[in-house]
Amino acid sequence: MQYRPFGNLGWDVSAIGFGAWAIGGDMWGPQDDDESVRALHTALDRGVNFIDTAQGYGKGHSEEIIGRVLAERGGDEIYVATKVPPRPGYGWPPPLDADANDVFPSDYIIEACEQSLRRLGRNHLDVYQFHTWVPGFNVQDEWKETMAKLKQQGKIRAVGVSVPDTTPANVIGSLAEGTVDAVQVIYNLFDRVPEWNLFPACERHGTAVIVRVPFDEGALTGKFTAETTFPEGDVRRHYFRGENLRETVRRVEEIRAFKDRRHPDLAMAEYALRFSLSHPAVSTVIPGMRNPRQAEMNTAAGDADALSPEERAELRAFAWRKDFWNEEVEAGAPAEA
């Protein structure tokens, strides 16, 4: 496993981290807790030292599973990042003119932090992230004062923001002020928008970058077909509704053909991870791992060579801007990106 600097914090984190959404057990179909525990142990045994979760994953259950594993492993140095969601009653994401003092009031941030600490069985969070963001939050101060207080108390070590899918650059104002230590963002073979402005800003300001959704909710592993179905309770039933799955599979097969001409022995999943790891701004990539086999396959990319700048440039031909949570591909729409 390769290790990378996590921004300017002096931490060396594994190139592949553990994405813990699915082990929460409420949005990705049935999930066995013991299988989740085995997956976590396998990933940690293979060099992973960074885990990303959220209070909203299984209403805290993902944090509880992680706490169980951390207790079993004793004194291993493992960095844990979690996220605080908007206060109940707000949409996702909040409206652009939302007031941070309403969405993330100080007392709520602090109490949610204490709940995460209890579920994780720890006395501090390495990264405490806002689970969504709007530009207006950059110019408000109460959340900054609250996070600074939590840092001073030793409850958190770093402040993070998980930026919205389609507007990743709206946190740049806080990067410039130095009030955000880490940014979590979607970056994969389809979605390359962070390269335009967010990644250069992170490199300039020494902000750590956590990459989520490297597989586009599983599609870029190449395992789906146009006939794939998802169980009740699996968020991908919505994400890949209508023509979304068929068009995604078609585009993934184009990427596979490109890959096979250059790396015929490389699995699509590892190729997708190697792409996401190839940008120099990236600190760690956090694919989901629901069982030991997935943990073994995903961690293999953590010791692989990055794709060359020339190959990355050629892969721009497959970039595809979309918003499947809110939009569907129209039947018969042009196939161009």
Side-chain angles (χ1 to χ4, degrees):
M1 178 66 68
Q2 296 177 5
Y3 296 86
R4 299 178 171 201
F6 194 77
N8 288 334
L9 295 174
W11 311 346
D12 289 325
V13 301
S14 51
I16 298 295
F18 190 102
W21 183 8
I23 68 170
D26 67 339
M27 298 182 74
W28 285 76
Q31 179 67 19
D32 179 77
D33 286 352
D34 289 337
E35 189 82 336
S36 299
V37 167
R38 288 191 291 271
L40 259 169
H41 277 301
T42 299
L44 298 173
D45 288 343
R46 293 175 66 88
V48 168
N49 72 350
F50 186 89
I51 302 171
D52 177 84
T53 184
Q55 295 163 4
Y57 296 168
K59 299 179 177 63
H61 189 59
S62 174
E63 292 180 330
E64 292 170 346
I65 294 293
I66 293 164
R68 172 179 163 185
V69 171
L70 294 177
E72 291 173 358
R73 298 190 74 92
D76 289 2
E77 185 175 32
I78 300 168
Y79 300 96
V80 179
T82 194
K83 311 178 194 75
V84 54
R87 186 166 60 88
Y90 281 87
W92 199 294
L96 291 178
D97 61 351
D99 185 336
N101 298 330
D102 291 333
V103 182
F104 292 109
S106 178
D107 290 348
Y108 169 73
I109 292 172
I110 292 169
E111 176 54 30
C113 176
E114 296 290 350
Q115 292 173 3
S116 285
L117 291 172
R118 287 193 291 270
R119 287 189 289 262
L120 290 164
R122 301 187 106 204
N123 60 15
H124 71 274
L125 305 173
D126 294 298
V127 189
Y128 194 29
Q129 304 165 97
F130 293 99
H131 208 156
T132 189
W133 200 251
V134 295
F137 294 174
N138 293 316
V139 295
Q140 296 183 280
D141 292 328
E142 185 172 334
W143 69 265
K144 302 171 189 175
E145 295 165 1
T146 302
M147 290 298 206
K149 178 180 178 180
L150 289 171
K151 277 188 174 182
Q152 291 167 359
Q153 294 174 339
K155 300 291 181 64
I156 69 173
R157 299 176 68 193
V159 177
V161 171
S162 182
V163 295
D165 297 6
T166 59
T167 55
N170 66 15
V171 72
I172 286 178
S174 289
L175 303 192
E177 285 190 348
T179 49
V180 169
D181 304 299
V183 170
Q184 184 174 142
V185 63
I186 292 176
Y187 180 60
N188 59 44
L189 285 158
F190 286 145
D191 194 341
R192 300 185 62 161
V193 168
E195 295 177 352
W196 301 345
N197 43 30
L198 180 60
F199 283 176
C202 289
E203 290 181 293
R204 177 181 294 272
H205 296 291
T207 308
V209 173
I210 305 164
V211 168
R212 69 179 188 269
V213 197
F215 299 142
D216 189 32
E217 311 304 356
L220 286 165
T221 64
K223 63 184 179 183
F224 298 161
T225 71
E227 288 71 42
T228 296
T229 59
F230 303 96
E232 287 290 341
D234 192 316
V235 295
R236 292 171 294 182
R237 286 174 68 95
H238 172 75
Y239 189 80
F240 291 116
R241 67 199 180 282
E243 293 294 314
N244 290 1
L245 179 60
R246 187 179 303 278
E247 179 61 11
T248 300
V249 168
R250 186 190 68 77
R251 290 172 181 260
V252 169
E253 289 309 308
E254 290 181 346
I255 295 173
R256 189 197 302 273
F258 175 93
K259 174 199 71 70
D260 286 349
R261 292 193 293 271
R262 292 158 178 78
H263 313 280
D265 298 327
L266 198 62
M268 275 293 293
E270 183 169 344
Y271 191 63
L273 290 173
R274 286 178 61 178
F275 169 81
S276 295
L277 286 165
S278 292
H279 196 286
V282 174
S283 306
T284 187
V285 178
I286 52 168
M289 307 183 202
R290 301 180 66 172
N291 55 61
R293 176 160 174 73
Q294 287 183 354
E296 290 170 358
M297 291 191 301
N298 290 340
T299 54
D303 195 29
D305 294 332
L307 302 184
S308 70
E310 294 76 19
E311 187 166 348
R312 288 172 44 80
E314 290 183 71
L315 283 164
R316 289 198 185 100
F318 305 104
W320 183 22
R321 283 293 279 162
K322 55 187 173 59
D323 182 13
F324 277 2
W325 296 117
N326 299 299
E327 300 174 359
E328 293 182 45
V329 172
E330 294 182 12
E336 290 77 22

